[in-house]
Structures are given as structure tokens and as C-alpha cells.
């Protein structure tokens, strides 16, 4: 199983970016997804998480600006980021939890590689 994150880049304050994270492999379904970020010198923090029950939770700092969506048929999660500000600059990581595989045991807390988001003022 691989998680491939993409969509990062350099954007001016007030701009938007859309991150994607696609899971590949012999996957039947994925229970939960999460987006995290880590800024230089800071700990990795949760940005948004989508549970298997359909709820989506957001960090207070991104509420109303960031929106997580998922395409279960494509085993892909997205993070639409609007009204970006320099404090959003970080490496963004996706995480899949409860990867149900065909003929193999499930995977938990499975991380993708990061994608850099840089917001200039």
C-alpha cells in the first residue's frame, strides 16, 4: 500500500490550494483519513480528520477555511485550503487508518509522504 500526497506549492496569502492523497494497492476500503501538518520547529498537528462514521473534525485554526472530502471509490482524500495565511506554511501529511485490504490484515495509522505548502505574505 502506498499513500501519494500531492498538490502542495507556493501561494500568496489569501490564496487557495487543494491537496490530494491517493491510496494504491489491493485496498477494499479505508475507514478513516486525516490530514496533519508540521511547521519548522513545531510538532506535527492534526488539521482535519474524517472518521468512519462520517464525521469530520477540524483544528480550530482552520475551521471555516479548510475542507476535507473523500472519494471512497478512488480511495482518495482531499483537503481544500482557502484563505491561506503564512501560519499555514508547513509540510502536510495524510494518514489513513483502518485500511481494509483484500486477503490481508488491515493497516492502521498509515502515513503518506509529506507535501510542502508555503504561503507568502
Amino acid at each position: 500500500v502506498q499513500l501519494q500526497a500531492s498538490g502542495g506549492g507556493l501561494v500568496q496569502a489569501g490564496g487557495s490550494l487543494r491537496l490530494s492523497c491517493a491510496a494504491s494497492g489491493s485496498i477494499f476500503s479505508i475507514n478513516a483519513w486525516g490530514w496533519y501538518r508540521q511547521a519548522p520547529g513545531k510538532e506535527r498537528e492534526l488539521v482535519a480528520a474524517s472518521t468512519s462514521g462520517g464525521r469530520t473534525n477540524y483544528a480550530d485554526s482552520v475551521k471555516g477555511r479548510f475542507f476535507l472530502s473523500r472519494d471512497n471509490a478512488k480511495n482518495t482524500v482531499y483537503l481544500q485550503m482557502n484563505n491561506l495565511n503564512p501560519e499555514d506554511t508547513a509540510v502536510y501529511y495524510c494518514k489513513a487508518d483502518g485500511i481494509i485490504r483484500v486477503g490481508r490484515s488491515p493497516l492502521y495509522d498509515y502515513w503518506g509522504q509529506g507535501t510542502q505548502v508555503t504561503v507568502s505574505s
Side-chain angles (χ1 to χ4, degrees):
V1 172
Q2 285 190 327
L3 300 184
Q4 183 68 46
S6 61
L10 174 64
V11 64
Q12 288 187 332
S16 298
L17 283 174
R18 188 191 193 211
L19 305 182
S20 301
C21 180
S24 60
S26 299
I27 298 170
F28 179 73
S29 64
I30 297 175
N31 287 341
W33 284 101
W35 284 100
Y36 294 74
R37 67 186 181 186
Q38 187 166 18
K42 295 187 177 181
E43 294 186 353
R44 190 173 297 188
E45 64 175 356
L46 175 68
V47 175
S50 174
T51 68
S52 59
R55 293 188 62 180
T56 303
N57 301 311
Y58 297 94
D60 287 342
S61 59
V62 306
K63 281 181 180 177
R65 300 188 299 122
F66 290 14
F67 300 95
L68 183 152
S69 61
R70 51 191 294 175
D71 185 334
N72 293 331
K74 295 181 179 180
N75 292 320
T76 299
V77 65
Y78 306 95
L79 185 67
Q80 177 67 43
M81 305 186 295
N82 301 324
N83 194 21
L84 286 159
N85 59 62
E87 290 70 37
D88 297 316
T89 295
V91 178
Y92 284 70
Y93 299 89
C94 59
K95 188 183 79 167
D97 195 31
I99 301 175
I100 309 303
R101 301 188 290 175
V102 178
R104 303 188 70 177
S105 58
L107 297 174
Y108 300 96
D109 293 337
Y110 205 82
W111 291 89
Q113 94 290 1
T115 185
Q116 176 71 46
V117 172
T118 303
V119 184
S120 62
S121 58

Coordinates of all heavy atoms in Angstrom, one line a residue, residues 49-112:
A49 N -9.8 15.6 10.2 CA -9.9 14.1 10.2 C -11.3 13.7 9.9 O -12.3 14.3 10.4 CB -9.5 13.6 11.6
S50 N -11.4 12.7 9.1 CA -12.7 12.1 8.7 C -12.8 10.7 9.3 O -12.0 9.9 9.0 CB -12.8 12.1 7.2 OG -14.0 11.4 6.8
T51 N -13.8 10.5 10.1 CA -14.0 9.2 10.8 C -14.8 8.3 9.9 O -15.4 8.7 8.9 CB -14.7 9.4 12.1 OG1 -16.0 9.8 11.9 CG2 -14.0 10.5 12.9
S52 N -14.8 7.0 10.3 CA -15.5 6.0 9.6 C -17.0 6.3 9.7 O -17.8 5.9 8.9 CB -15.2 4.6 10.1 OG -15.4 4.5 11.5
G53 N -17.4 7.0 10.8 CA -18.8 7.3 11.0 C -19.3 8.5 10.2 O -20.5 8.8 10.2
G54 N -18.4 9.1 9.4 CA -18.8 10.2 8.5 C -18.6 11.6 9.1 O -18.9 12.5 8.5
R55 N -18.1 11.6 10.3 CA -17.9 13.0 10.9 C -16.5 13.5 10.5 O -15.6 12.7 10.3 CB -17.9 12.9 12.4 CG -19.3 12.6 13.0 CD -19.3 12.7 14.5 NE -19.0 14.1 14.9 CZ -18.9 14.5 16.2 NH1 -19.1 13.6 17.2 NH2 -18.6 15.7 16.5
T56 N -16.4 14.8 10.3 CA -15.2 15.4 10.0 C -14.9 16.5 11.1 O -15.7 17.3 11.4 CB -15.2 16.1 8.7 OG1 -15.5 15.1 7.7 CG2 -13.8 16.7 8.3
N57 N -13.7 16.4 11.7 CA -13.3 17.3 12.7 C -12.1 18.2 12.2 O -11.3 17.7 11.4 CB -12.8 16.6 13.9 CG -13.9 15.7 14.5 OD1 -15.0 16.1 14.7 ND2 -13.6 14.4 14.7
Y58 N -12.1 19.4 12.6 CA -11.1 20.4 12.1 C -10.4 21.0 13.3 O -11.0 21.3 14.4 CB -11.7 21.5 11.2 CG -12.3 21.0 10.0 CD1 -13.7 20.7 9.9 CD2 -11.6 20.8 8.8 CE1 -14.3 20.2 8.7 CE2 -12.1 20.3 7.6 CZ -13.5 20.0 7.6 OH -14.0 19.6 6.5
A59 N -9.1 21.3 13.1 CA -8.4 22.2 14.1 C -9.1 23.6 14.1 O -9.6 24.0 13.1 CB -7.0 22.3 13.8
D60 N -9.1 24.2 15.3 CA -9.8 25.5 15.4 C -9.1 26.5 14.4 O -9.8 27.4 13.9 CB -9.6 26.0 16.8 CG -10.5 25.2 17.8 OD1 -11.5 24.6 17.3 OD2 -10.3 25.3 19.0
S61 N -7.8 26.3 14.2 CA -7.1 27.3 13.4 C -7.5 27.3 11.9 O -7.2 28.2 11.2 CB -5.6 27.1 13.5 OG -5.3 25.8 13.1
V62 N -8.2 26.2 11.5 CA -8.5 26.1 10.1 C -10.0 26.0 9.8 O -10.5 26.0 8.7 CB -7.8 24.8 9.4 CG1 -6.3 24.9 9.7 CG2 -8.4 23.5 9.9
K63 N -10.8 26.0 10.9 CA -12.3 25.9 10.7 C -12.8 27.0 9.8 O -12.4 28.2 10.0 CB -12.9 25.9 12.1 CG -12.9 24.6 12.8 CD -13.6 24.7 14.2 CE -13.6 23.4 14.9 NZ -14.2 23.5 16.2
G64 N -13.6 26.7 8.9 CA -14.2 27.6 8.0 C -13.3 28.0 6.8 O -13.8 28.7 5.9
R65 N -12.1 27.5 6.8 CA -11.2 27.8 5.7 C -10.7 26.5 5.0 O -10.6 26.5 3.8 CB -9.9 28.5 6.2 CG -10.1 29.8 6.9 CD -8.8 30.5 7.2 NE -8.0 29.8 8.1 CZ -6.7 29.4 7.8 NH1 -6.2 29.7 6.6 NH2 -6.0 28.7 8.6
F66 N -10.6 25.4 5.7 CA -10.2 24.2 5.2 C -11.3 23.2 5.1 O -12.1 23.2 6.1 CB -9.0 23.5 6.0 CG -7.7 24.3 5.9 CD1 -7.6 25.5 5.4 CD2 -6.6 23.6 6.4 CE1 -6.4 26.2 5.3 CE2 -5.3 24.3 6.3 CZ -5.2 25.5 5.8
F67 N -11.4 22.4 4.1 CA -12.5 21.4 4.0 C -11.9 20.1 3.5 O -11.3 20.0 2.4 CB -13.5 22.0 3.0 CG -14.1 23.3 3.5 CD1 -13.6 24.5 3.0 CD2 -15.2 23.3 4.4 CE1 -14.1 25.7 3.4 CE2 -15.7 24.5 4.8 CZ -15.2 25.7 4.4
L68 N -12.2 19.0 4.2 CA -11.8 17.7 3.9 C -12.9 17.0 3.2 O -14.1 17.1 3.6 CB -11.4 16.9 5.1 CG -10.8 15.5 5.0 CD1 -9.9 15.1 6.1 CD2 -12.0 14.5 4.9
S69 N -12.6 16.3 2.1 CA -13.5 15.5 1.4 C -12.9 14.2 1.0 O -11.6 14.1 0.9 CB -14.1 16.2 0.2 OG -13.1 16.5 -0.8
R70 N -13.7 13.2 0.7 CA -13.1 11.9 0.4 C -13.9 11.3 -0.8 O -15.1 11.4 -0.8 CB -13.0 11.0 1.6 CG -14.3 10.9 2.4 CD -14.2 10.1 3.7 NE -13.8 8.8 3.5 CZ -13.5 8.0 4.6 NH1 -13.5 8.4 5.8 NH2 -13.1 6.7 4.4
D71 N -13.2 10.6 -1.6 CA -13.8 9.8 -2.7 C -13.5 8.3 -2.4 O -12.4 7.9 -2.7 CB -13.2 10.2 -4.0 CG -13.9 9.6 -5.2 OD1 -14.5 8.5 -5.0 OD2 -13.9 10.1 -6.3
N72 N -14.4 7.7 -1.8 CA -14.2 6.3 -1.3 C -13.9 5.4 -2.5 O -13.2 4.4 -2.4 CB -15.3 5.8 -0.5 CG -15.4 6.5 0.8 OD1 -14.5 7.0 1.4 ND2 -16.7 6.7 1.3
A73 N -14.6 5.6 -3.6 CA -14.4 4.8 -4.8 C -12.9 4.9 -5.3 O -12.4 3.9 -5.9 CB -15.3 5.2 -5.9
K74 N -12.3 6.0 -5.1 CA -10.9 6.2 -5.6 C -9.9 6.0 -4.4 O -8.7 6.2 -4.7 CB -10.8 7.6 -6.2 CG -11.6 7.7 -7.5 CD -11.3 9.1 -8.1 CE -12.1 9.3 -9.4 NZ -11.9 10.6 -10.0
N75 N -10.4 5.8 -3.2 CA -9.5 5.7 -2.1 C -8.6 6.9 -2.0 O -7.4 6.8 -1.8 CB -8.7 4.4 -2.1 CG -9.5 3.2 -1.9 OD1 -10.4 3.1 -1.1 ND2 -9.2 2.1 -2.7
T76 N -9.3 8.1 -2.1 CA -8.6 9.3 -2.1 C -9.2 10.3 -1.2 O -10.5 10.3 -1.0 CB -8.6 9.9 -3.5 OG1 -7.9 9.0 -4.4 CG2 -7.9 11.2 -3.6
V77 N -8.4 11.1 -0.5 CA -8.9 12.2 0.3 C -8.3 13.5 -0.2 O -7.2 13.5 -0.7 CB -8.5 11.9 1.8 CG1 -7.0 12.0 2.0 CG2 -9.2 12.9 2.7
Y78 N -9.1 14.5 0.0 CA -8.7 15.9 -0.4 C -8.7 16.8 0.7 O -9.5 16.6 1.7 CB -9.7 16.4 -1.5 CG -9.8 15.4 -2.7 CD1 -10.8 14.5 -2.7 CD2 -8.9 15.4 -3.7 CE1 -11.0 13.6 -3.8 CE2 -9.0 14.6 -4.8 CZ -10.1 13.7 -4.8 OH -10.2 12.8 -5.9
L79 N -8.0 17.9 0.6 CA -8.0 19.0 1.6 C -8.1 20.3 0.8 O -7.0 20.7 0.2 CB -6.8 18.9 2.5 CG -6.9 20.0 3.7 CD1 -8.1 19.6 4.6 CD2 -5.6 20.1 4.4
Q80 N -9.2 20.9 0.7 CA -9.3 22.2 0.1 C -9.0 23.3 1.1 O -9.6 23.3 2.2 CB -10.8 22.4 -0.4 CG -11.0 23.8 -1.0 CD -10.3 24.0 -2.3 OE1 -10.2 23.0 -3.1 NE2 -9.7 25.1 -2.5
M81 N -8.0 24.1 0.8 CA -7.5 25.1 1.7 C -7.7 26.4 1.1 O -7.2 26.7 0.1 CB -6.0 24.8 2.0 CG -5.7 23.4 2.5 SD -4.0 23.2 3.0 CE -3.1 23.5 1.4
N82 N -8.5 27.2 1.8 CA -8.9 28.6 1.3 C -8.4 29.6 2.3 O -8.1 29.4 3.4 CB -10.4 28.7 1.2 CG -11.0 27.7 0.2 OD1 -10.4 27.3 -0.8 ND2 -12.2 27.2 0.5
N83 N -8.2 30.8 1.7 CA -7.8 32.0 2.6 C -6.6 31.6 3.4 O -6.5 31.8 4.6 CB -9.0 32.4 3.5 CG -8.7 33.8 4.1 OD1 -7.9 34.6 3.6 ND2 -9.4 34.0 5.2
L84 N -5.6 31.1 2.7 CA -4.4 30.7 3.3 C -3.6 31.9 3.9 O -3.6 33.0 3.3 CB -3.5 29.9 2.4 CG -4.0 28.5 2.0 CD1 -3.4 28.0 0.7 CD2 -3.6 27.6 3.2
N85 N -2.9 31.6 5.0 CA -2.1 32.7 5.6 C -0.7 32.1 5.9 O -0.5 30.9 5.9 CB -2.7 33.3 6.8 CG -3.0 32.2 7.9 OD1 -2.1 31.6 8.4 ND2 -4.3 32.1 8.2
P86 N 0.3 32.9 6.1 CA 1.6 32.4 6.3 C 1.7 31.4 7.5 O 2.6 30.5 7.4 CB 2.4 33.7 6.7 CG 1.7 34.8 5.9 CD 0.3 34.4 6.0
E87 N 0.9 31.5 8.4 CA 0.9 30.5 9.5 C 0.5 29.1 9.1 O 0.7 28.1 9.8 CB 0.0 30.9 10.7 CG 0.4 32.2 11.5 CD 0.4 33.4 10.7 OE1 -0.6 33.6 9.9 OE2 1.3 34.3 10.8
D88 N 0.0 29.0 7.9 CA -0.4 27.7 7.4 C 0.8 27.0 6.7 O 0.7 25.8 6.2 CB -1.5 27.8 6.3 CG -2.8 28.3 7.0 OD1 -3.2 27.8 8.1 OD2 -3.5 29.2 6.4
T89 N 1.9 27.7 6.6 CA 3.1 27.1 6.0 C 3.6 25.9 6.8 O 3.8 26.0 8.0 CB 4.2 28.2 5.9 OG1 3.8 29.2 5.0 CG2 5.5 27.5 5.4
A90 N 3.7 24.8 6.1 CA 4.1 23.5 6.8 C 4.2 22.4 5.7 O 3.8 22.6 4.6 CB 3.1 23.1 7.8
V91 N 4.7 21.3 6.2 CA 4.6 20.1 5.4 C 3.3 19.4 5.8 O 3.1 19.2 7.0 CB 5.8 19.2 5.6 CG1 5.7 17.9 4.8 CG2 7.1 19.9 5.2
Y92 N 2.5 19.1 4.9 CA 1.2 18.5 5.1 C 1.3 17.0 4.8 O 1.8 16.6 3.8 CB 0.2 19.1 4.3 CG -0.3 20.5 4.8 CD1 0.6 21.6 4.7 CD2 -1.5 20.6 5.4 CE1 0.2 22.8 5.2 CE2 -1.9 21.9 5.9 CZ -1.0 22.9 5.8 OH -1.4 24.2 6.3
Y93 N 0.8 16.2 5.8 CA 0.8 14.7 5.7 C -0.6 14.2 5.7 O -1.4 14.7 6.5 CB 1.6 14.1 6.8 CG 3.1 14.5 6.9 CD1 3.4 15.6 7.6 CD2 4.1 13.8 6.3 CE1 4.8 16.0 7.7 CE2 5.4 14.1 6.4 CZ 5.7 15.3 7.1 OH 7.1 15.6 7.2
C94 N -0.8 13.1 4.9 CA -2.1 12.4 5.1 C -1.8 11.1 5.8 O -0.7 10.6 5.8 CB -2.7 12.1 3.7 SG -1.6 11.1 2.6
K95 N -2.9 10.7 6.5 CA -2.8 9.4 7.2 C -4.1 8.7 7.0 O -5.2 9.2 7.1 CB -2.6 9.7 8.7 CG -2.4 8.4 9.5 CD -2.3 8.7 11.0 CE -3.6 8.8 11.6 NZ -3.5 8.8 13.1
A96 N -4.0 7.4 6.7 CA -5.1 6.5 6.6 C -5.1 5.5 7.7 O -4.1 5.0 8.2 CB -5.1 5.7 5.3
D97 N -6.3 5.3 8.3 CA -6.5 4.4 9.4 C -7.5 3.4 9.1 O -8.6 3.8 8.7 CB -6.8 5.2 10.7 CG -6.6 4.4 11.9 OD1 -5.7 3.6 12.0 OD2 -7.4 4.6 12.9
G98 N -7.2 2.1 9.3 CA -8.2 1.1 9.0 C -8.2 0.8 7.5 O -9.3 1.0 6.9
I99 N -7.1 0.5 6.9 CA -7.0 0.2 5.5 C -7.4 -1.3 5.4 O -6.7 -2.2 5.9 CB -5.7 0.4 4.9 CG1 -5.3 1.9 5.1 CG2 -5.6 0.0 3.4 CD1 -3.8 2.2 4.6
I100 N -8.6 -1.6 4.8 CA -9.0 -2.9 4.7 C -8.5 -3.4 3.4 O -8.9 -2.9 2.3 CB -10.6 -3.0 4.8 CG1 -11.1 -2.2 6.0 CG2 -11.0 -4.4 4.8 CD1 -10.6 -2.7 7.3
R101 N -7.7 -4.5 3.5 CA -7.1 -5.0 2.3 C -7.7 -6.3 1.8 O -8.3 -7.0 2.6 CB -5.6 -5.2 2.5 CG -4.9 -3.9 2.9 CD -3.4 -4.1 2.9 NE -3.0 -4.9 4.1 CZ -1.7 -5.3 4.3 NH1 -0.8 -4.9 3.4 NH2 -1.4 -6.0 5.3
V102 N -7.5 -6.6 0.6 CA -8.1 -7.8 0.0 C -7.1 -8.9 0.4 O -6.0 -9.0 0.0 CB -8.2 -7.7 -1.5 CG1 -8.7 -9.0 -2.1 CG2 -9.1 -6.5 -1.9
G103 N -7.6 -9.9 1.2 CA -6.8 -11.1 1.5 C -5.7 -10.9 2.5 O -4.9 -11.8 2.7
R104 N -5.6 -9.7 3.1 CA -4.5 -9.4 4.0 C -5.1 -8.7 5.2 O -6.2 -8.1 5.2 CB -3.4 -8.6 3.4 CG -2.8 -9.3 2.1 CD -1.6 -8.6 1.6 NE -0.5 -8.7 2.5 CZ 0.7 -8.3 2.2 NH1 0.9 -7.6 1.1 NH2 1.7 -8.4 3.0
S105 N -4.3 -8.6 6.3 CA -4.7 -7.9 7.5 C -4.8 -6.4 7.3 O -4.1 -5.9 6.5 CB -3.8 -8.3 8.7 OG -2.5 -7.9 8.3
P106 N -5.7 -5.8 8.1 CA -5.8 -4.3 7.9 C -4.6 -3.6 8.4 O -3.7 -4.1 9.1 CB -7.0 -4.0 8.9 CG -7.7 -5.3 9.1 CD -6.6 -6.3 9.0
L107 N -4.4 -2.4 7.9 CA -3.3 -1.5 8.3 C -3.9 -0.3 9.1 O -5.0 0.2 8.7 CB -2.6 -1.0 7.0 CG -1.9 -2.0 6.2 CD1 -1.3 -1.4 4.9 CD2 -0.8 -2.7 7.0
Y108 N -3.2 0.1 10.0 CA -3.6 1.2 10.9 C -2.5 2.3 10.9 O -1.3 2.0 10.8 CB -3.9 0.7 12.3 CG -5.0 -0.3 12.3 CD1 -4.8 -1.7 12.3 CD2 -6.4 0.1 12.2 CE1 -5.8 -2.6 12.3 CE2 -7.4 -0.8 12.2 CZ -7.1 -2.2 12.3 OH -8.1 -3.1 12.2
D109 N -2.9 3.5 11.1 CA -2.0 4.7 11.2 C -0.9 4.6 10.1 O 0.2 4.6 10.4 CB -1.3 4.6 12.6 CG -2.3 4.9 13.7 OD1 -3.4 5.6 13.4 OD2 -2.1 4.6 14.8
Y110 N -1.4 4.6 8.9 CA -0.5 4.5 7.7 C -0.3 5.9 7.1 O -1.3 6.6 6.7 CB -1.2 3.6 6.7 CG -0.2 2.9 5.8 CD1 0.5 1.8 6.1 CD2 0.1 3.4 4.5 CE1 1.4 1.2 5.3 CE2 0.9 2.8 3.6 CZ 1.6 1.7 4.0 OH 2.5 1.1 3.2
W111 N 0.9 6.3 7.1 CA 1.2 7.7 6.7 C 1.7 7.8 5.2 O 2.4 6.9 4.7 CB 2.3 8.3 7.6 CG 1.9 8.5 9.0 CD1 2.0 7.6 10.0 CD2 1.4 9.7 9.5 NE1 1.5 8.2 11.2 CE2 1.1 9.5 10.9 CE3 1.1 11.0 9.0 CZ2 0.6 10.5 11.7 CZ3 0.5 11.9 9.8 CH2 0.3 11.7 11.1
G112 N 1.3 8.9 4.6 CA 1.9 9.2 3.3 C 3.1 10.1 3.4 O 3.4 10.6 4.5

